[in-house]
Amino acid sequence: MIQISKILQSVPIFKMLGKESINFIIERLKFKTFDSKNTICKVGDPGDEMFIIISGKVDIVIYPEGVEEGQAVATLGPGDYFGEMALLTGEPRSASVITEGPVEAFALQQKDFDVILERYPSISLSMGKIVSKRLRETLKTASNFRRVEKIEITSEGPSGNIEDVPIIDLISFAESNSLTGSMTINSGDKNGAFEFERGALQSVKVGGVSDDKALDEMLSWKSGHFQIKVRPLTLKTNKKKNIEEESRNKILIVNNSLVVRKVIERAFNGLGYEVNTARDIAASQDTMGEWIPDIIISDIKLSDGSGIEFVELTRKEKNIPFIFITDNSIKPEFEEKLQEMGNGEITKTHEVSEIVKLVENMI
Ligand code: CMP
């Protein structure tokens, strides 16, 4: 027990925890060993456990479309962890994890992971930062193969030329980014469109022909322009809502990080709130076309504008209260401007319990 706690305390995400918390976690860990060249996680598989390496090394391997060999994006060793992304996001494994030699590790099951995150939210936040970094690195490596860097991101959405990014690569771009929306292609005097739902191709249209024929036709196009239009996911709500549902408080969480969105969403869902999330201002505006939140919890800086711009735009329609969360230092101008506009709070903590308290006070 003593030795295990020493190992755990050297793991960065657990460093801040006291003895009692470490013991709570230890009780939920399972010791596992793996032989050399063993695939512990397989890309695309569902994931229900994460691992903390005690000894040995693993390679994180991705398989970009059209490339025969797997590409290692990272090598992890003692004190590192892996397999957390699937548990945090509910998405399939983002990469394969293959042992270089014999490996000893602790495994943590999803149900125990959920309990631990709920009890120690600071872990999910430090994990969230690592996950964002890992995702960026993985996408960068993949993009070297998929030529996604040739995709320009405009206010309309990603666009570019199919001379630079062939249609087959565009389809895998949409799949790997879980796109929900449309991708229209103009090639000379021909027009075609793909529709995606959470990365799965739903329909292919060129003129009035069948999907299969349309796909064959479009795959033969070698020049032209494409435009991707992302449609924000909307909650599938039952039209016949009962009174209890109607009176649930509504929260919109806006943050660039999927993990931060998921962590806060999970907390408020658990408390019976109706929750929607968006990654940026544009997606929030789309969501609010049909659904008006009681409070917006947002990062102070989003990919398409500042928090102040977000408040100004939203308040043109409705005076919705804002809570801004950040762990960065805030410019005094931001605080002053927010005070002037009123009905807004800033919290410098990512502690979910603190955010819940703030929301409850405001509501
Ligand atoms: P998960 O997606 O559940 O399964 C594969 C794991 O590989 C993933 O969680 C991360 O833990 C890990 N991983 C993915 N990309 C990277 C990366 N760029 N650097 C380090 N680890 C990664």
Side-chain angles (χ1 to χ4, degrees):
M1 200 75 153
I2 293 165
Q3 266 184 343
I4 300 179
S5 66
K6 282 235 168 72
I7 296 170
L8 279 196
Q9 260 157 351
S10 71
V11 178
I13 44 168
F14 299 136
K15 249 193 187 127
M16 310 294 282
L17 302 180
K19 201 168 147 238
E20 219 178 282
S21 326
I22 292 281
N23 285 341
F24 181 85
I25 295 171
I26 290 172
E27 281 166 22
R28 285 158 179 82
L29 297 176
K30 294 215 167 49
F31 179 75
K32 289 197 176 178
T33 57
F34 300 94
D35 296 333
S36 180
K37 304 289 168 224
N38 196 324
T39 301
I40 305 179
C41 303
K42 188 156 170 275
V43 63
D45 278 358
D48 63 357
E49 56 184 347
M50 68 161 284
F51 301 86
I52 299 158
I53 304 173
I54 303 169
S55 69
K57 283 185 181 168
V58 298
D59 289 326
I60 309 295
V61 181
I62 58 165
Y63 300 86
E65 277 286 321
V67 181
E68 272 177 27
E69 297 244 313
Q71 302 295 321
V73 287
T75 299
L76 306 178
D80 291 328
Y81 57 87
F82 60 88
E84 78 293 359
M85 290 191 190
L87 303 195
L88 282 165
T89 63
E91 298 286 324
R93 296 289 190 201
S94 60
S96 288
V97 182
I98 303 169
T99 55
E100 280 193 0
V103 165
E104 294 177 313
F106 289 129
L108 184 63
Q109 297 293 314
Q110 172 96 59
K111 61 175 186 343
D112 295 320
F113 176 82
D114 290 343
V115 172
I116 290 172
L117 286 205
E118 225 162 289
R119 204 161 163 149
Y120 309 110
S122 63
I123 297 180
S124 54
L125 289 163
S126 50
M127 243 183 203
K129 285 184 192 148
I130 303 266
V131 169
S132 309
K133 188 168 156 272
R134 288 180 169 180
L135 276 177
R136 265 202 311 278
E137 282 166 5
T138 305
L139 280 174
K140 203 168 139 217
T141 308
S143 75
N144 291 335
F145 295 92
R146 285 200 221 109
R147 292 180 265 181
V148 292
E149 76 272 24
K150 295 270 171 119
I151 297 178
E152 199 190 329
I153 311 287
T154 65
S155 58
E156 290 279 291
S159 67
N161 296 315
I162 54 180
E163 291 90 326
D164 297 327
V165 194
I167 292 181
I168 191 80
D169 286 9
L170 283 174
I171 295 174
S172 71
F173 173 79
E175 285 170 346
S176 57
N177 287 287
S178 294
L179 172 75
T180 294
S182 66
M183 185 155 74
T184 48
I185 315 236
N186 305 319
S187 177
D189 55 359
K190 295 178 196 150
N191 297 318
F194 295 100
E195 275 295 325
F196 289 89
E197 190 80 40
R198 294 173 196 263
L201 188 56
Q202 304 291 308
S203 67
V204 193
K205 290 203 170 58
V206 179
V209 301
S210 70
D211 280 30
D212 280 356
K213 284 210 177 112
L215 183 61
D216 284 345
E217 149 103 71
M218 281 168 86
L219 287 175
S220 71
W221 295 353
K222 298 288 172 260
S223 64
H225 185 262
F226 67 84
Q227 173 76 59
I228 296 173
K229 286 212 170 125
V230 181
R231 201 173 57 244
L233 290 174
T234 44
L235 283 182
K236 287 196 179 89
T237 47
N238 186 348
K239 287 225 166 87
K240 278 192 208 149
K241 281 183 183 170
N242 61 31
I243 294 161
E244 200 185 313
E245 276 178 326
E246 288 287 5
S247 63
R248 277 164 67 191
N249 287 317
K250 301 187 187 77
I251 304 279
L252 175 63
I253 299 157
V254 190
N255 200 294
N256 194 30
S257 156
L258 173 68
V259 176
V260 173
R261 293 200 299 271
K262 289 262 177 204
V263 169
I264 304 178
E265 181 183 16
R266 196 188 308 188
F268 280 99
N269 270 333
L271 292 166
Y273 285 75
E274 195 178 313
V275 187
N276 246 325
T277 66
R279 61 172 305 153
D280 53 22
I281 300 176
S284 312
Q285 298 301 309
D286 282 335
T287 304
M288 287 191 281
E290 305 175 344
W291 180 89
I292 307 293
D294 298 306
I295 290 192
I296 299 175
I297 301 173
S298 170
D299 203 351
I300 58 167
K301 195 164 179 341
L302 295 154
S303 61
D304 53 356
S306 73
I308 295 296
E309 285 164 332
F310 187 18
V311 178
E312 281 170 346
L313 191 66
T314 309
R315 299 261 172 96
K316 278 186 192 158
E317 300 292 329
K318 201 161 190 277
N319 187 12
I320 301 175
F322 271 79
I323 294 176
F324 286 103
I325 51 170
T326 177
D327 52 4
N328 297 322
S329 57
I330 299 163
K331 291 203 181 112
E333 304 95 87
F334 186 95
E335 279 192 286
E336 270 166 35
K337 188 80 195 167
L338 189 65
Q339 241 169 21
E340 246 172 59
M341 294 191 292
N343 219 359
E345 296 279 349
I346 301 175
T347 168
K348 289 183 189 159
T349 169
H350 273 94
E351 289 287 336
V352 177
S353 55
E354 287 302 313
I355 300 169
V356 170
K357 260 191 231 155
L358 260 179
V359 167
E360 284 176 350
N361 282 341
M362 287 174 97
I363 278 180

